[in-house]
Amino acid sequence: QSTIDAASPLVNIIHTRVNREQDTSSSSCPGYLCHSVVMAVDTIVSEPSLVATLQISDQARDQAHTLLRLADEASDSHISAESQAEIAKQQKHLFTSISHLRGLHRNACISARETKAQTAEARQEVDRLHLQLQNLYYEQRHLQGEISACESYDHKYQQLPLIPVDEFLAQHPEHATDDEDELMVARIDHERTEREALEQQRQELLKRKQKLIAENKRRKDDLANLDQDLEKFIDAAKPILELFEKAP
């Protein structure tokens, strides 16, 4: 009797919960739906520790039903020593299962906290990688803009009056197999060589021009001096002319 009295609060709690489960299952949860929910939970939960928790929970529920049934039978008739022993046995089993269930619940909470911490660390790593990816996208767009600006830049060499490609290849057939860039470099080098040669000719012609200008200036000065000498000669010859004019 003392065992039943000691177990009566637990029995009342179990009885209340079982009745609540029965009321819920009979009123708002059809049998096939509850069975589907249980099957869904068994299918979804695959963590070994959580599976063990569910198994211990089912075991504790079955033990609670057994203890409740024994308590109901004991309340209807005189309690025998065998019934008391069975109730005490089931109570010990239930307490053991509940203690085990509490330990599993505590481990599950600790594991959940550890999982949350790991998830937070992983989220930080993902955020860091995402930020790096955004920076790479920004750098990519920047480089693409720079490339487009370089490709559309109006280079000075494009304004050079280069000879046509056909004419250049006719003069330099060794560049017939060059690609576009190498051919452009060769044409620019050819243009530079031609301009240097023309500049050298211009300098030579300029020197010749300066020499001719100096020669012309010297001759002009000589002619000017000759005019002065002629004027002096004419002035000096005037008395002689007058003398010849006076002669008979």
Side-chain angles (χ1 to χ4, degrees):
Q1 182 68 32
S2 60
T3 303
I4 296 177
D5 294 338
S8 57
L10 178 62
V11 171
N12 292 332
I13 294 173
I14 295 173
H15 185 72
T16 302
R17 291 184 178 179
V18 170
N19 289 335
R20 186 179 301 170
E21 292 178 358
Q22 292 177 352
D23 294 339
T24 303
S25 62
S26 61
S27 60
S28 61
C29 181
Y32 69 91
L33 183 58
C34 292
H35 181 70
S36 300
V37 171
V38 173
M39 292 296 294
V41 171
D42 293 338
T43 304
I44 294 173
V45 177
S46 59
E47 181 69 22
S49 60
L50 296 180
V51 171
T53 302
L54 292 176
Q55 293 176 354
I56 296 299
S57 177
D58 294 338
Q59 181 180 348
R61 182 188 59 191
D62 295 338
Q63 292 173 352
H65 280 291
T66 302
L67 183 60
L68 183 61
R69 179 177 55 80
L70 293 175
D72 291 338
E73 292 176 356
S75 61
D76 294 338
S77 61
H78 180 70
I79 301 176
S80 61
E82 183 179 358
S83 298
Q84 292 180 0
E86 183 65 21
I87 291 175
K89 179 180 178 181
Q90 292 297 329
Q91 183 180 359
K92 290 180 181 179
H93 290 169
L94 181 59
F95 285 160
T96 302
S97 299
I98 292 176
S99 177
H100 191 190
L101 186 61
R102 286 177 179 174
L104 293 175
H105 179 265
R106 181 172 59 255
N107 294 334
C109 292
I110 295 174
S111 177
R113 285 196 294 269
E114 293 177 353
T115 303
K116 288 181 180 179
Q118 294 175 359
T119 303
E121 293 178 359
R123 184 182 293 112
Q124 291 178 357
E125 181 66 16
V126 170
D127 292 340
R128 184 182 65 82
L129 294 176
H130 184 265
L131 181 60
Q132 290 182 356
L133 181 61
Q134 294 298 324
N135 292 334
L136 290 176
Y137 281 149
Y138 175 78
E139 185 176 358
Q140 180 186 17
R141 290 193 297 269
H142 175 71
L143 292 177
Q144 288 176 348
E146 292 294 330
I147 292 173
S148 300
C150 292
E151 290 178 349
S152 61
Y153 181 73
D154 187 15
H155 296 278
K156 293 296 182 181
Y157 77 89
Q158 295 179 348
Q159 302 176 3
L160 294 176
L162 303 177
I163 62 176
V165 178
D166 297 337
E167 183 178 351
F168 175 78
L169 293 177
Q171 297 178 7
H172 303 278
E174 65 274 9
H175 295 288
T177 58
D178 293 347
D179 57 15
E180 183 178 358
D181 295 335
E182 293 177 349
L183 184 60
M184 177 59 70
V185 173
R187 292 174 65 194
I188 293 175
D189 290 338
H190 174 266
E191 182 68 20
R192 178 179 58 82
T193 303
E194 292 294 328
R195 291 194 178 194
E196 289 177 352
L198 292 175
E199 178 64 20
Q200 185 176 1
Q201 293 179 7
R202 190 183 72 84
Q203 293 294 335
E204 293 177 355
L205 292 175
L206 183 60
K207 291 179 180 179
R208 184 179 177 184
K209 177 183 176 182
Q210 295 296 332
K211 185 177 179 180
L212 291 175
I213 291 174
E215 182 69 19
N216 290 334
K217 184 176 183 302
R218 184 182 62 79
R219 291 184 178 183
K220 185 177 181 180
D221 293 340
D222 292 341
L223 290 175
N225 293 331
L226 181 60
D227 290 339
Q228 293 178 0
D229 292 339
L230 287 175
E231 290 178 357
K232 291 180 180 180
F233 177 77
I234 293 172
D235 292 338
K238 283 182 179 181
I240 298 174
L241 290 175
E242 292 177 356
L243 181 61
F244 280 114
E245 289 177 355
K246 293 179 179 181

